[in-house]
């Protein structure tokens, strides 16, 4: 019994250690017969009552990319919004920063009204709510993109993707709010919680001016706990501004003013913020935040994919994968990343060019000759044994020394001088040549020699002289 209690305690502790508040009351999809008509659990409805909320009262959604969090806020009896539930976003693509153009894999940042017609019960990703990107601000600034959703399936290409268990509950909360008469649900999508410390940590990010503009709406919600009224003029967001004129997204802003009560509240809030911001600047002096890529975030949560379908692709949070660095270290890291990316792109271009050139076998590229000169190695010629020439076949007196002559060398016909040298001078006998001597090169005896000439055999005429005179 004691052993079983210990095991049970360990299991419960492990479960609580690895979960967020949405998993404590997780939906069992196998028991859901109609996903669009799913009814919130008794625990969720009970929590609403504790907070003084009606089941059909308005809701508001807030997203924080860096933390990977989606919050559902709901209005209480005094029409002030309170946090009802926080969900861990399963996947969001790209990096911190707004979506600018189709295909950049960025998830939207800004203020988006969600209307009933943007609810999609027939989504390929279980259930989906279209964010409405591009909104009025995005269009005024030339931003483009389509089908940016909050949906299930835990896989994202510019969307905010939840698990199916999460999206069915978020879908039901929005559905009930629309049934209660809410005209649109405000979605506030931020890069991070816009505290003084976070703003100081990201002060060097190229999107900082855009984020400071969003921060005005963020701060006003933090103070009032009511969704800010959002307008666009001069291609920028304006919040809770009173005006008798109309707001032209691309035109000049009309004369406008902030309600006095809100102005006082925001002045006090800003005073505290500036104090905290200066403190944060001192804390991060000489340090900058390295914003991780989507691949770096995915590497942190790679273990979560094991044993699941390939479509399940959590991306992790920037807080887990990013880090503070010295400015010099960050510059080196970014330079190395840039060089690696350039090399990757060059290899891709080369591969595409090769595929295009060899497509259908019509244009196979011929390798170019190397510009580096290489020494030419010639094979040594082996000298073949010399053969006797045809006209010497019938001469027995041709010496073996002639065998070293080139095979193709033709024998020259004896000259008149050589022929005369072969004949004895008048009154002299020809001296016998040694056996090794060349018969064509005869040496005459010295004048006045007393040596008796030896008897010589008759001289044979060369083959070519047989028919001569």
């Amino acid at each position: 019994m004691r052993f079983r209690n210990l095991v049970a305690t360990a299991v419960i502790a492990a479960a609580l250690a690895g979960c967020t508040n949405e998993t404590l009351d997780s939906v069992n999809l196998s028991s859901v017969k109609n996903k669009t008509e799913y009814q919130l659990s008794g625990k969720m409805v009970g929590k609403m009552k504790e907070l003084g909320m009606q089941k059909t009262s308005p809701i508001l959604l807030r997203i924080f990319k860096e933390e990977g969090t989606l919050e559902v806020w709901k209005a209480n009896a005094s029409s002030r919004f309170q946090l009802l539930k926080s969900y861990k976003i399963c996947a969001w693509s790209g990096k911190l920063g707004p979506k600018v153009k189709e295909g950049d894999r960025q998830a939207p940042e800004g203020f988006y009204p969600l209307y009933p017609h943007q609810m999609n019960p027939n989504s390929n990703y279980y259930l989906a709510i279209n964010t409405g990107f591009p909104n009025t601000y995005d269009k005024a600034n030339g931003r483009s993109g389509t089908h940016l959703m909050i949906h299930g399936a835990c896989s994202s290409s510019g969307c905010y993707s939840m698990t199916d268990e999460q999206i069915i509950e978020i879908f039901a909360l929005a559905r009930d709010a629309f049934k209660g008469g809410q005209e649109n649900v405000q979605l506030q999508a931020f890069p991070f919680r816009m505290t003084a410390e976070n703003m100081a940590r990201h002060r060097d990010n190229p999107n900082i001016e855009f984020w400071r503009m969003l921060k005005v709406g963020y701060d006003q919600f933090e103070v009032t706990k009511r969704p800010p009224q959002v307008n666009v003029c001069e291609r920028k967001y304006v919040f809770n501004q009173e005006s008798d004129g109309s707001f032209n997204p691309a035109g000049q802003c009309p004369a406008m003013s902030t309600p006095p009560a809100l102005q006082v509240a925001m002045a006090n809030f800003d005073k505290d913020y500036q104090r905290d911001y200066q403190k944060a600047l001192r804390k991060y002096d000489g340090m900058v935040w390295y914003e991780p890529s989507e691949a770096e975030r995915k590497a942190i949560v790679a273990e979560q994919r094991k044993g699941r379908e390939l479509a399940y692709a959590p991306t992790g949070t920037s807080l887990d994968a990013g880090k503070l660095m010295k400015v010099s270290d960050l510059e080196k890291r970014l330079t190395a990343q840039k060089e690696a990316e350039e090399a990757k792109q060059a290899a891709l271009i080369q591969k595409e060019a090769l595929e295009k050139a060899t497509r259908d076998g019509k244009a196979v590229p011929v390798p170019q000759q190397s510009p580096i000169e290489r020494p030419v190695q010639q094979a040594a010629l082996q000298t073949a044994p010399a053969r006797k020439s045809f006209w010497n076949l019938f001469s027995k007196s041709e010496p073996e020394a002639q065998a070293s002559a080139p095979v193709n060398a033709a024998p020259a016909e004896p000259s008149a001088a050589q022929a005369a040298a072969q004949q004895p001078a008048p009154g002299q006998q020809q001296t016998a040549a040694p056996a090794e001597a060349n018969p064509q090169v005869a040496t005459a005896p010295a004048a006045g020699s007393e040596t008796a000439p030896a008897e010589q055999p008759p001289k044979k005429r060369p083959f070519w002289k047989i028919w001569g005179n």
Side-chain angles (χ1 to χ4, degrees):
M1 178 65 72
R2 182 180 179 184
F3 177 78
R4 284 189 298 174
N5 290 339
L6 289 174
V7 171
T9 302
V11 171
I12 294 173
L16 292 176
C19 66
T20 54
N21 64 342
E22 75 270 11
T23 59
L24 294 175
D25 189 18
S26 182
V27 179
N28 183 5
L29 294 180
S30 62
S31 63
V32 176
K33 297 180 180 179
N34 188 334
K35 59 186 178 182
T36 60
E37 294 299 325
Y38 166 77
Q39 297 301 309
L40 296 170
S41 68
K43 289 184 179 180
M44 176 69 78
V45 175
K47 185 175 181 180
M48 292 180 190
K49 291 181 178 179
E50 291 176 4
L51 297 174
M53 305 170 181
Q54 297 294 322
K55 185 179 178 180
T56 57
S57 63
I59 66 169
L60 174 144
L61 304 181
R62 287 209 307 179
I63 286 176
F64 300 104
K65 280 185 178 179
E66 188 172 58
E67 294 179 351
T69 300
L70 185 150
E71 297 177 344
V72 178
W73 293 65
K74 196 169 179 66
N76 59 20
S78 61
S79 296
R80 289 175 65 86
F81 283 70
Q82 292 177 271
L83 180 61
L84 176 63
K85 194 166 185 177
S86 179
Y87 298 89
K88 181 179 180 181
I89 297 174
C90 196
W92 58 274
S93 58
K95 300 178 70 173
L96 299 188
K99 183 171 187 63
V100 176
K101 61 182 179 180
E102 183 82 53
D104 62 6
R105 288 186 60 81
Q106 286 293 105
E109 292 177 4
F111 291 76
Y112 295 86
L114 310 179
Y115 292 89
H117 69 268
Q118 292 168 230
M119 305 273 286
N120 183 7
N122 301 313
S123 172
N124 292 329
Y125 300 95
Y126 195 70
L127 290 170
I129 304 174
N130 195 316
T131 63
F133 182 93
N135 62 10
T136 304
Y137 171 86
D138 299 323
K139 292 175 183 177
N141 286 274
R143 297 179 176 177
S144 61
T146 54
H147 309 301
L148 282 303
M149 310 278 184
I150 301 172
H151 61 67
C154 189
S155 179
S156 172
S157 294
C159 299
Y160 293 106
S161 184
M162 318 300 293
T163 64
D164 293 349
E165 290 83 0
Q166 293 170 334
I167 192 62
I168 194 174
E169 200 165 69
I170 297 168
F171 195 92
L173 286 164
R175 178 202 63 210
D176 291 347
F178 287 134
K179 287 182 178 180
Q182 186 173 6
E183 182 179 349
N184 65 76
V185 173
Q186 188 175 94
L187 167 63
Q188 302 176 2
F190 300 109
F192 43 77
R193 296 187 186 276
M194 299 190 137
T195 63
E197 184 160 326
N198 285 344
M199 293 296 288
R201 182 162 53 89
H202 289 284
R203 65 192 181 281
D204 296 315
N205 193 290
N207 297 297
I208 190 62
E209 291 303 322
F210 173 71
W211 293 339
R212 284 172 179 160
M213 178 177 58
L214 297 186
K215 183 180 178 299
V216 176
Y218 173 90
D219 290 348
Q220 291 186 9
F221 178 75
E222 287 291 301
V223 171
T224 66
K225 291 299 186 288
R226 291 187 174 91
Q229 182 181 351
V230 181
N231 285 297
V232 178
C233 59
E234 298 179 6
R235 295 186 175 87
K236 63 183 180 181
Y237 284 110
V238 293
F239 304 96
N240 290 321
Q241 292 299 296
E242 296 178 340
S243 176
D244 293 333
S246 59
F247 290 90
N248 185 342
Q252 185 176 1
C253 292
M256 53 189 182
S257 61
T258 304
L262 178 60
Q263 190 173 7
V264 172
M266 295 310 302
N268 293 330
F269 180 88
D270 189 61
K271 182 179 179 180
D272 293 338
Y273 170 82
Q274 291 300 332
R275 180 198 62 227
D276 295 339
Y277 184 75
Q278 293 302 319
K279 181 179 178 181
L281 286 179
R282 292 191 294 271
K283 176 181 178 181
Y284 296 121
D285 184 32
M287 305 293 289
V288 288
W289 176 256
Y290 170 72
E291 173 61 25
S293 66
E294 182 178 348
E296 289 170 323
R297 290 190 286 113
K298 283 184 175 181
I300 298 295
V301 295
E303 290 291 326
Q304 295 182 20
R305 298 189 185 89
K306 292 184 178 180
R308 293 179 177 266
E309 297 179 0
L310 293 176
Y312 183 80
T315 56
T317 73
S318 292
L319 286 175
D320 293 334
K323 63 179 180 179
L324 282 170
M325 303 178 67
K326 293 182 179 179
V327 175
S328 58
D329 292 339
L330 179 60
E331 290 176 350
K332 292 178 182 178
R333 183 166 186 165
L334 294 179
T335 298
Q337 288 180 346
K338 182 179 180 181
E339 292 175 352
E341 183 62 26
E342 289 175 350
K344 180 180 178 181
Q345 291 299 323
L348 181 61
I349 292 173
Q350 185 178 12
K351 179 181 178 182
E352 292 176 349
L354 180 61
E355 291 177 349
K356 182 179 180 180
T358 58
R359 191 171 293 125
D360 301 327
K362 295 180 180 179
V364 179
V366 178
Q368 296 294 325
Q369 184 176 1
S370 173
I372 303 175
E373 295 185 1
R374 295 182 180 180
V376 179
Q377 297 181 354
Q378 296 181 347
L381 297 176
Q382 183 177 4
T383 304
R387 292 180 295 179
K388 287 187 176 182
S389 57
F390 173 75
W391 47 82
N392 286 330
L393 293 177
F394 303 95
S395 175
K396 295 182 179 179
S397 61
E398 184 176 7
E400 291 298 325
Q402 291 287 347
S404 61
V407 175
N408 296 329
E413 190 169 332
S415 63
Q418 290 175 333
Q422 293 175 0
Q423 299 297 328
Q428 293 183 349
Q429 296 266 338
Q430 184 177 5
T431 306
E436 297 84 355
N438 191 331
Q440 295 182 4
V441 185
T443 304
S449 174
E450 296 181 356
T451 305
E455 187 178 353
Q456 301 292 331
K459 184 177 178 62
K460 295 181 180 181
R461 300 182 68 182
F463 173 75
W464 55 86
K465 295 289 185 177
I466 295 176
W467 292 280
N469 291 330

